[in-house]
Amino acid sequence: VGVSVVNALSSRLDVEVRRDGKMHHMAFERGKVVEPLVVIGETTKTGTMIRFVPDREVFGNTWPSREYFEQHLWDVACLTPGLVTELDGELTFHAPNGLANMVARSAEGRTRLQPEPLRICVKSDIVDVEVALQWTAEGQPQINGLVEWWRVLQGTHIEGLWDAIREVICDIAGRERFN
């Protein structure tokens, strides 16, 4: 979901942009500009901060839990390694090693069979792919599938990963004559 959708579904949305040595601010209410874009100061930092209040006329009292937002911001940080996000100015989410950070966290409390997750990054003109794998002694597979920054439990990308893992293991087993 982009910021325009969040804006339309918010009773208030404030945007603060820091770039080119200046800090800019603009505010919206229910998708309409209530404070036009203005320079509010100078800065040496860069980045964008978005604050919003969900519109109770749209959502009523239904709103995802704080844990839901924490999980989502962690996932976004893992998918965009250079990004730093904050929730309510209290929690900071940053994963400099991308999906390897996500996999390492999900392996916490388990007996790891390798010290660090295996991280594979492939870039082409068509698509960028990142995969991180961590084997544990517990033997229960856990796949965190992510599509367009959202967790998914199944789909062709997850099936394709399983197929590739099986193919590599069978290829190695065939070459090494493991039976």
Side-chain angles (χ1 to χ4, degrees), residues 118 120 131-135 141-143 157-173:
L118 170 65
I120 302 165
V131 176
L133 305 167
Q134 175 84 60
W135 278 265
Q142 176 185 350
I143 291 187
H157 59 291
I158 292 175
E159 292 167 18
L161 175 62
W162 274 121
D163 289 345
I165 291 171
R166 276 191 289 272
E167 186 175 323
V168 167
I169 290 172
C170 288
D171 183 51
I172 292 170

Side-chain angles (χ1 to χ4, degrees), residues 15-34:
V15 178
E16 196 172 281
V17 177
R18 295 179 183 108
R19 64 177 290 175
D20 300 328
K22 300 201 182 313
M23 190 164 33
H24 305 79
H25 177 264
M26 187 172 194
F28 302 83
E29 289 182 2
R30 295 188 170 86
K32 307 276 189 227
V33 175
V34 292

Side-chain angles (χ1 to χ4, degrees), residues 2-71:
V3 72
S4 58
V5 174
V6 174
N7 187 21
L9 299 174
S10 298
S11 59
R12 172 93 182 180
L13 182 131
D14 287 271
V15 178
E16 196 172 281
V17 177
R18 295 179 183 108
R19 64 177 290 175
D20 300 328
K22 300 201 182 313
M23 190 164 33
H24 305 79
H25 177 264
M26 187 172 194
F28 302 83
E29 289 182 2
R30 295 188 170 86
K32 307 276 189 227
V33 175
V34 292
E35 296 176 28
L37 183 65
V38 294
V39 175
I40 58 172
E42 295 184 4
T43 183
T44 57
K45 297 181 179 182
T46 60
T48 302
M49 181 172 8
I50 298 174
R51 289 188 182 104
F52 67 95
V53 176
D55 191 338
R56 295 293 174 206
E57 290 180 19
V58 174
F59 294 103
N61 290 327
T62 304
W63 194 246
S65 67
R66 180 178 177 87
E67 291 78 20
Y68 174 87
F69 285 105
E70 289 175 9
Q71 181 65 62

Side-chain angles (χ1 to χ4, degrees), residues 64-177:
S65 67
R66 180 178 177 87
E67 291 78 20
Y68 174 87
F69 285 105
E70 289 175 9
Q71 181 65 62
H72 182 65
L73 289 174
W74 171 247
D75 291 349
V76 169
C78 291
L79 290 170
T80 48
L83 181 69
V84 177
T85 60
E86 288 184 1
L87 180 60
D88 292 337
E90 298 172 15
L91 288 174
T92 301
F93 302 90
H94 179 61
N97 296 316
L99 293 180
N101 290 119
M102 177 183 282
V103 169
R105 179 186 273 185
S106 67
E108 287 176 358
R110 298 176 183 207
T111 306
R112 298 175 189 201
L113 300 179
Q114 75 222 54
E116 297 294 326
L118 170 65
R119 183 178 184 212
I120 302 165
C121 299
V122 178
K123 296 182 183 233
S124 75
D125 294 338
I126 300 168
V127 67
D128 295 348
V129 176
E130 180 181 358
V131 176
L133 305 167
Q134 175 84 60
W135 278 265
T136 65
E138 285 72 16
Q140 283 292 67
Q142 176 185 350
I143 291 187
N144 296 322
L146 296 142
V147 175
E148 304 217 1
W149 295 12
W150 296 99
R151 281 187 180 245
V152 294
L153 301 175
Q154 58 191 15
T156 55
H157 59 291
I158 292 175
E159 292 167 18
L161 175 62
W162 274 121
D163 289 345
I165 291 171
R166 276 191 289 272
E167 186 175 323
V168 167
I169 290 172
C170 288
D171 183 51
I172 292 170
R175 273 190 280 128
E176 300 297 326
R177 302 191 195 286

